[in-house]
Amino acid sequence: MRESTVFYRSFYEAIKELDADMQSQVYCAIFEYALNFNQLELTGVAKTVFTLIKPQLDANQKRFDNGNKPKLKQTISKTEANHKQDTSKPYPNANVNDNVNVNANDNVNENVNAKVLRSHFRAPTYDEILNCMKSKNEIANGIWNSAKVITEAKAFFNHYESNGWMVGKNKMKNWEAAIRNWMNNNSKFETQKQNTNGKPKFDNTAHYQNVAAQVAANISAEREG
């Protein structure tokens, strides 16, 4: 049994992405193992995260055990050196050099941080996506009707479920941010969001540019004629 243990930031970064129940399971497993040396039975994602953290806990325990071991070799070496020094005193010309160097280096370097960060993403369910879109639609004053929200939620889920939750060539990191981008990139949503009255704004810029180009072409044709 130990009175304390080391808790790394990498542990926290990995666990905070889990839901509340899984977080509780992993926290209990870490402290029960590190303080009481009991390994709890976990399943699913909670087991995966704890499995990645466990090697670092074992390394910490090994360093703790080595730090508490009596340094017998060093004590014996000092005793022998003192004895030889006392023996050499009657002979001032004798040069006795007994150099005993005990170097115990227990360096266990387990890169838990990289493994945990690679595994912390959890793909959302369809219901989570739908609820998130409903919430964002409400914040935008409900510019989508219920049917549109459901349609876009299904489209988002089917798209990323089919490509393994990849954004381009990279694994998705934050699905809520991806939903926000999805909704903002939807032309109908973006156009309506810009209009506080809920009616799409008409941009005259392109229209006037086309008219000006046509007039210039007509003038040029008349000159050439």
Side-chain angles (χ1 to χ4, degrees):
M1 180 180 297
R2 291 182 57 178
E3 296 299 323
S4 63
T5 187
V6 178
F7 192 90
Y8 295 93
R9 182 176 183 84
S10 61
F11 296 176
Y12 167 73
E13 292 292 341
I15 297 171
K16 75 174 183 179
E17 297 295 334
L18 307 178
D19 58 43
D21 181 59
M22 287 187 181
Q23 286 184 18
S24 176
Q25 293 180 38
V26 177
Y27 279 129
C28 289
I30 290 174
F31 293 117
E32 187 65 22
Y33 185 80
L35 300 177
N36 298 326
F37 313 122
N38 295 326
Q39 184 167 345
L40 302 182
E41 291 292 330
L42 300 174
T43 59
V45 177
K47 181 178 181 180
T48 301
V49 173
F50 178 77
T51 300
L52 294 172
I53 292 175
K54 182 176 176 294
Q56 187 62 54
L57 299 177
D58 291 336
N60 292 344
Q61 182 59 40
K62 188 173 182 180
R63 284 194 291 269
F64 177 82
D65 292 339
N66 288 338
N68 289 334
K69 290 180 180 179
K71 300 180 180 180
L72 297 177
K73 290 184 178 180
Q74 187 174 1
T75 303
I76 294 173
S77 299
K78 288 182 178 180
T79 303
E80 293 176 350
N82 290 336
H83 175 71
K84 292 180 179 180
Q85 185 176 4
D86 292 339
T87 304
S88 64
K89 285 181 179 179
Y91 308 96
N93 293 329
N95 185 11
V96 179
N97 183 9
D98 188 344
N99 184 12
V100 179
N101 184 14
V102 178
N103 183 14
N105 183 14
D106 179 25
N107 183 15
V108 179
N109 183 14
E110 180 68 24
N111 189 0
V112 174
N113 186 39
K115 294 181 181 178
V116 172
L117 290 179
R118 284 198 298 268
S119 67
H120 78 276
F121 174 75
R122 177 185 65 83
T125 64
Y126 167 74
D127 289 337
E128 289 175 326
I129 294 171
L130 179 60
N131 290 334
C132 182
M133 282 196 178
K134 286 180 178 179
S135 176
K136 294 184 183 300
N137 189 49
E138 290 176 359
I139 294 174
N141 297 321
I143 60 179
W144 281 355
N145 58 36
S146 299
K148 175 65 174 176
V149 174
I150 293 174
T151 298
E152 292 299 327
K154 289 181 179 179
F156 180 91
F157 177 79
N158 292 335
H159 174 75
Y160 286 108
E161 181 72 10
S162 64
N163 78 350
W165 298 93
M166 301 292 291
V167 180
K169 296 182 180 181
N170 300 317
K171 190 72 174 180
M172 182 180 293
K173 295 180 180 180
N174 187 328
W175 59 267
E176 291 187 359
I179 287 177
R180 182 171 60 252
N181 291 336
W182 178 281
M183 297 178 75
N184 287 338
N185 290 334
N186 183 291
S187 59
K188 182 177 179 181
F189 185 92
E190 189 66 20
T191 302
Q192 290 183 355
K193 187 170 67 174
Q194 294 173 1
N195 189 345
T196 57
N197 295 323
K199 297 180 181 179
K201 291 183 177 179
F202 181 74
D203 186 357
N204 291 322
T205 303
H207 173 72
Y208 290 138
Q209 288 176 346
N210 291 334
V211 171
Q214 186 61 45
V215 171
N218 292 338
I219 294 173
S220 177
E222 290 177 355
R223 288 178 177 175
E224 291 178 358

